[in-house]
Every structure is written in structure tokens, then in C-alpha cells.
Amino acid sequence: MSASRALPVAAPSARSGILLSLLSALSFSTLGIWGKLASEAGMNSFTALAWRFVAVALLLLPLSSRGLTWRLRGQMVGVGVIYALATTLYFGALDRISAGTTSLLLYLAPAFVVLLGWAVLGRKPGGRQLGAVALAGAGLGLVVGIPGAGDQNALGLGLAAGAGFLYAVYLLASERWLLGVSPLAATAHMALVSGVWFTVLAGAGGQLGVPHGWAQWGVIGGMALVSTIIAVPALYGAITRLGAARASLLGTLEPLFTVLLAFLILHEPLRPAVLLGGVLILGGAVLAQKRRARA
């Protein structure tokens, strides 16, 4: 059997999918913390991203690439391209509008997943699924904040919404193109594409440099290990077990986890609205898991 293929599993457990989604959301939520620490250590975003993905690719490619067909490699590279473009739009939006509004528009992804699944794949959403999207969206508005007067940059808003749309495409592409593929192999190829892409962007902007000191290398190590090697395979495993729609709705817990981690680690203030928003997000996540088995 090819090393790229997972062993046959009878009826992957929905419970394990939920646990993997929660692990992925918690692991991805640390990215904002690492980003803050990177800035404090004197590293710019594109340099940190470039080294993050290059480190992951160098570590995982030798361990997971044997026996892969060119067709599978092409599919994994395609997923990686979509992810890299979504990330680029996200950081482009951050330069123009607030981080809260950028996150809010990025997490339009579950709604886009539902709409694309309906329009492209014929998956008509049920009332519970639409209710889950609405609850999660309301909760996100409370957690990250409603757009304010300073968020009037049309390009920034368009980039953030585009990031949400492309992230939805990335989730659906992962569901369809990575079926049976080792999560580590898929992560390695996504990291390879993203590493090359962000190295080029950092170099073109004259920002590429070699990290130095324990602080900078520690940030790179944390981003590579927690926010990528743990987070991305967990996400792929969740998508395999739950589908892109349910996994993406559970992923809306990520900004809530980020706010809580910032409170615990960076001692940032915790607004009461965050707690209410967290309840709504959790309600949406729970409602999303009650879909009928044939969906």
C-alpha cells in the first residue's frame, strides 16, 4: 500500500472529529500570540511566516513523501496554493483595517462553505445548519468587536472577505482532494507551497532575514510546531470525519480561544461581551453537530 494512503477505517468517529476540531482551533488560536511575540522580538510577519512554513516543510517532507503519485502531489499543492492566497489576503487586510474586523470577515468562511456546498455540490443546508451559522456569526461579532468608524477602507474590507471566501474554498478542496491522503503529507506540501510563497513576498519587500536569538527562534518553533504541525493535520482529520461545514463551524472557536489565551498569557483585558459571544459560538458549534447522519 502506498505510504500516502491512510489505512481503511470503518465509519470514522464523529466524536474524534469534534475533538480534532477543538484541538485544531486551540492550536491555530496560538498564532495570534506568536505574532505578538514575533513583533516584540523584532520580526515582521512575512519573515516569520516564511520561516514557519519552510521549517515545517523541511521536517515533514522527508517523513511523508514516499510513494506519492504526481496526481496526489498536484492536488496537495493545489490546496496549498489556495491556503497561501487566503493568508496573503488576510495580512493585506490587516494592513488596512482593524484586526477585529479582519477576523470577523475571515470567519465568514462557514457561511461560504454552506453556500458553496449548496451551489456547487448540491448540499442544501437545513435549518439547524443555518441557525448554527447565525449563532456563530453573532458570537464572533461580540468576541472580536463590531466594525467601527475606522474600518471604512473598501480594499481592506474586500481583502478580508476574500480571505474568508478562499478559506472556505480551501476547506472544501481539502475535503474533496485530500480524501485518503496522509495528513502529514498534506501538511508538508501545503507548507512547501506557503514557504516558497512567503519567502518570495518577504524577499520582494526587502524584509527577509535570518532569525537570531532565542526569542525569535522560539517564536518560529512555536508557530511551526503548535500552529502548523499540530493544528493543520488535526484540521484535515476533522474535515475527514465531519465534513468541511461542521469542521468550519467548530473552527469559529479559534478567535475565542485567542482572546482567552491573550488574557492568560499577555494579560490583555477580557471584555464581558467576549463571554456572551463565546456562549453563542459554542451554541452554534453544538447545533451544527446535530445534523442528520445522511447530510
Side-chain angles (χ1 to χ4, degrees):
M1 177 179 287
S2 168
S4 66
R5 296 287 184 179
L7 292 175
V9 178
S13 167
R15 181 178 298 178
S16 67
I18 292 172
L19 292 175
L20 286 170
S21 281
L22 294 175
L23 175 62
S24 176
L26 179 59
S27 300
F28 273 126
S29 74
T30 66
L31 193 56
I33 308 299
W34 296 122
K36 285 267 190 180
L37 296 176
S39 179
E40 292 176 3
M43 268 196 306
N44 65 76
S45 297
F46 282 163
T47 293
L49 288 169
W51 281 98
R52 166 198 179 190
F53 289 118
V54 167
V56 172
L58 290 175
L59 179 63
L60 294 186
L61 279 172
L63 302 176
S64 61
S65 292
R66 287 181 295 178
L68 291 172
T69 66
W70 285 108
R71 179 173 176 272
L72 283 176
R73 290 181 187 275
Q75 290 174 180
M76 289 188 286
V77 166
V79 170
V81 168
I82 298 169
Y83 179 85
L85 291 176
T87 305
T88 304
L89 293 186
Y90 175 79
F91 279 93
L94 280 177
D95 290 336
R96 295 167 174 84
I97 58 177
S98 68
T101 298
T102 302
S103 296
L104 185 62
L105 291 173
L106 174 68
Y107 282 94
L108 287 172
F112 282 133
V113 168
V114 170
L115 292 174
L116 286 171
W118 188 6
V120 179
L121 305 177
R123 300 174 179 171
K124 186 176 180 179
R128 284 177 176 172
Q129 195 171 38
L130 294 175
V133 171
L135 278 175
L140 283 166
L142 291 171
V143 170
V144 304
I146 304 299
D151 293 312
Q152 302 298 319
N153 185 291
L155 178 57
L157 294 171
L159 289 173
F165 178 80
L166 282 180
Y167 191 64
V169 174
Y170 160 73
L171 293 172
L172 286 169
S174 298
E175 179 183 347
R176 293 180 67 83
W177 293 351
L178 303 182
L179 183 63
V181 175
S182 159
L184 287 183
T187 303
H189 284 76
M190 180 276 288
L192 175 63
V193 173
S194 298
V196 171
W197 177 246
F198 287 111
T199 297
V200 170
L201 287 182
Q207 299 176 327
L208 186 63
V210 178
H212 56 84
W214 286 107
Q216 292 192 357
W217 280 113
V219 167
I220 297 299
M223 293 174 73
L225 177 60
V226 180
S227 304
T228 313
I229 293 176
I230 294 176
V232 178
L235 175 62
Y236 291 150
I239 290 172
T240 298
R241 290 161 173 78
L242 301 175
R246 293 170 72 188
S248 67
L249 281 162
L250 282 165
T252 57
L253 288 166
E254 180 188 330
L256 175 63
F257 288 151
T258 299
V259 170
L260 294 176
L261 287 174
F263 170 71
L264 293 172
I265 298 173
L266 303 177
H267 307 294
E268 293 185 359
L270 186 62
R271 297 177 291 111
V274 168
L275 302 179
L276 176 58
V279 171
L280 293 176
I281 293 171
L282 284 170
V286 170
L287 187 61
Q289 306 316 309
K290 293 184 177 181
R291 61 188 294 189
R292 291 186 297 270
R294 70 172 181 269

